[in-house]
Amino acid sequence: MNLVINLLFKSFIENGATLDKLVIYFPDSLKLWPEIFYLLEQNMQFISRLQYISLSRVAYSNIESATTLLRALAKYATKIKDLKLAYDSYKTQFFHAAFHDIIQIIKSQEQLRLININGIKKHSEFLGIISALERQKNSLQEVIIENCGWSVEFEILINCKNLYTFRIKDCDMKLLKILNCKISTLEILNNHWDISTTTQILEMSGLMLKRLKLRSLINVYEESSIPVFEALKFFCPNITYLDLGYMEFSTQLIEVIGNLQKLQFLSLLLFQDNIDETKEEQEVRVIHFAEILPLTLQYLRFCCNSQLNSCIDIFLNHCNSPLKTLSIYRLSDEKTVKALIEFSKRNRTLNCVGLYHFDLNYDIRKKVEKYVRLESYGYTDVDC
């Protein structure tokens, strides 16, 4: 394998190839020949047009090779648009050996557009790497921060006035407070939200906000989500993509969705545990939800617990949105299958149905597939 990799590198460089994307991954098993680095020094056009770099795992035995490559990138690869620092690049020996070179790569870029920082176990020591983004404050448009703890270095992002997309996943929620500009895409995936700060960001972004994804790993009840819903209802009418989970299927949530008249993609991971609500009251709520969905809606993921899943047929019988893709938990019984077929006939736009539980017998599957394509749940996902 090493022979093949080295021969491919040698052939690419000698024949004048230019890279667009590079993933730096140096396991113990990879041994690049010294000749490769010599050829690279003589043919820097090979890396001069790089647009995307991902720095991944570097084994201890390959630290010298990786840092040699990083120095060349800092000098000659100045057109990088997207830079990802993956979590394995924070292994102690390599990180401390290479941080100067990583800083120089960031500073040398003409127009860095996206930075993706993926820490490990809430990593919070960055040795000036985040601070180096000061040089890119006018070009940076998207920031993705994953598995990171708080560091004062992140405050440099306050100066990024052209930041349009902010994604935070499993991080210290203090990171949300650095946002100081209107954004068009916000994604928060965390154990819990900072409701107050999230609400402030929604109010500040207002009409500019188009895509929103809020996911908590614990159930979010109606009482705690009211400030966010109020901000969405009064400040953010231009949202076209909305992904919420794990949310209570509440009247307040339905009202918010009904106000988003430009909505095209809607993903809901819902729960309903109001034991005092009768089946008739629940069905009324489902009917109301089906009827208020905007006529712009093309994609719906409506995944819920068994209590709500038993009402999917009622939802389908009352929905008039021109859906092209529908994702649900399962086709649980004959009445749901019948409702889906009737919806497809009436709707005439539905192409695909995604199922979390693909446990249909052959006859039912063939019956449904006369009208729509059935896919496993993951194939129908749409990213924010």
Side-chain angles (χ1 to χ4, degrees):
M1 182 62 70
N2 267 304
L3 176 64
V4 172
I5 290 171
N6 279 276
L7 288 175
L8 281 173
F9 257 113
K10 187 172 184 292
S11 177
F12 290 153
I13 296 171
E14 290 180 337
N15 286 281
T18 56
L19 287 183
D20 179 72
K21 178 178 181 179
L22 177 63
V23 177
I24 301 172
Y25 174 69
F26 280 84
D28 273 317
S29 58
L30 176 61
K31 304 297 177 186
L32 288 182
W33 300 337
E35 180 186 1
I36 299 302
F37 295 103
Y38 173 78
L39 285 171
L40 194 58
E41 285 286 343
Q42 304 303 312
N43 300 272
M44 283 301 174
Q45 77 277 1
F46 182 62
I47 59 173
S48 64
R49 298 182 185 176
L50 273 169
Q51 301 278 305
Y52 171 92
I53 289 182
S54 174
L55 181 56
S56 188
R57 185 167 74 88
V58 176
Y60 181 78
S61 61
N62 270 319
I63 289 177
E64 185 176 353
S65 293
T67 52
T68 300
L69 178 57
L70 290 180
R71 290 188 193 107
L73 291 171
K75 189 174 181 180
Y76 296 102
T78 60
K79 300 184 184 299
I80 297 168
K81 303 295 184 186
D82 298 358
L83 176 62
K84 179 176 182 179
L85 304 178
Y87 71 92
D88 275 327
S89 66
Y90 293 109
K91 296 295 185 183
T92 304
Q93 299 94 332
F94 173 67
F95 186 57
H96 283 82
F99 74 92
H100 282 298
D101 302 307
I102 298 172
I103 288 172
Q104 288 308 309
I105 288 174
I106 293 174
K107 288 183 175 181
S108 66
Q109 299 315 307
E110 295 173 4
Q111 281 200 323
L112 187 65
R113 185 192 66 86
L114 181 152
I115 184 79
N116 184 339
I117 303 156
N118 191 334
I120 181 171
K121 295 181 180 179
K122 299 294 192 297
H123 194 93
S124 60
E125 183 184 10
F126 300 99
L127 302 177
I129 288 177
I130 309 302
S131 297
L133 292 169
E134 167 71 20
R135 192 72 65 90
Q136 303 297 332
K137 65 182 180 182
N138 294 323
S139 64
L140 202 61
Q141 297 178 20
E142 180 170 355
V143 172
I144 304 171
I145 307 173
E146 305 177 66
N147 305 303
C148 288
W150 168 251
S151 167
V152 70
E153 288 193 40
F154 283 113
E155 291 182 354
I156 201 68
L157 297 176
I158 294 173
N159 300 324
C160 298
K161 302 304 182 184
N162 294 313
L163 192 61
Y164 299 125
T165 299
F166 190 80
R167 306 179 194 273
I168 181 172
K169 305 175 184 180
D170 194 22
C171 291
D172 189 319
M173 292 303 289
K174 284 177 66 178
L175 287 165
L176 271 184
K177 297 182 184 295
I178 62 177
L179 276 180
N180 192 35
C181 59
K182 295 181 179 181
I183 55 174
S184 62
T185 300
L186 176 63
E187 180 177 352
I188 303 173
L189 280 70
N190 231 53
N191 288 332
H192 64 280
W193 306 342
D194 181 334
I195 298 294
S196 175
T197 305
T198 302
T199 302
Q200 291 172 19
I201 294 171
L202 297 180
E203 292 177 358
M204 177 174 60
S205 297
L207 298 175
M208 187 171 173
L209 190 66
K210 303 291 179 60
R211 304 173 74 85
L212 176 64
K213 184 173 186 175
L214 299 176
R215 292 272 191 94
S216 172
L217 297 182
I218 59 175
N219 290 345
V220 180
Y221 288 85
E222 181 177 15
E223 294 79 10
S224 61
S225 57
I226 285 177
V228 170
F229 289 162
E230 291 293 313
L232 286 175
K233 186 160 52 172
F234 294 111
F235 294 94
C236 308
N238 292 331
I239 288 179
T240 59
Y241 179 108
L242 181 63
D243 184 331
L244 299 175
Y246 290 81
M247 287 282 186
E248 184 177 7
F249 188 51
S250 63
T251 301
Q252 185 84 8
L253 172 62
I254 295 172
E255 288 178 1
V256 169
I257 293 170
N259 280 355
L260 301 177
Q261 291 302 304
K262 297 182 181 180
L263 199 60
Q264 298 176 28
F265 301 89
L266 176 61
S267 177
L268 299 172
L269 301 179
L270 301 171
F271 69 93
Q272 176 70 15
D273 59 2
N274 185 350
I275 59 175
D276 296 325
E277 187 174 57
T278 66
K279 182 174 178 57
E280 290 73 21
E281 289 172 331
Q282 180 174 278
E283 289 177 356
V284 168
R285 185 172 297 182
V286 170
I287 291 171
H288 181 42
F289 171 66
E291 292 178 342
I292 59 88
L293 288 176
L295 296 178
T296 53
L297 195 65
Q298 300 177 30
Y299 173 97
L300 174 63
R301 177 164 65 169
F302 186 43
C303 290
C304 40
N305 59 13
S306 57
Q307 189 177 348
L308 281 172
N309 197 62
S310 63
C311 297
I312 291 296
D313 61 310
I314 296 171
F315 167 80
L316 290 168
N317 289 335
H318 291 84
C319 179
N320 293 310
S321 293
L323 299 178
K324 294 181 179 179
T325 302
L326 172 67
S327 285
I328 55 178
Y329 190 68
R330 72 196 313 170
L331 289 172
S332 54
D333 50 38
E334 184 61 36
K335 66 176 183 177
T336 307
V337 171
K338 181 181 178 181
L340 177 60
I341 292 173
E342 291 301 317
F343 175 76
S344 177
K345 289 179 180 179
R346 184 177 78 253
N347 169 280
R348 298 192 177 187
T349 59
L350 190 64
N351 298 319
C352 178
V353 173
L355 298 174
Y356 188 84
H357 273 287
F358 212 104
D359 52 356
L360 302 176
N361 67 45
Y362 179 81
D363 291 337
I364 292 178
R365 180 170 179 172
K366 286 299 178 183
K367 183 178 180 180
V368 173
E369 286 184 331
K370 290 179 181 178
Y371 302 93
V372 295
R373 186 176 81 255
L374 295 178
E375 295 284 4
S376 182
Y377 188 71
Y379 285 99
T380 60
D381 278 354
V382 177
D383 290 333
C384 180

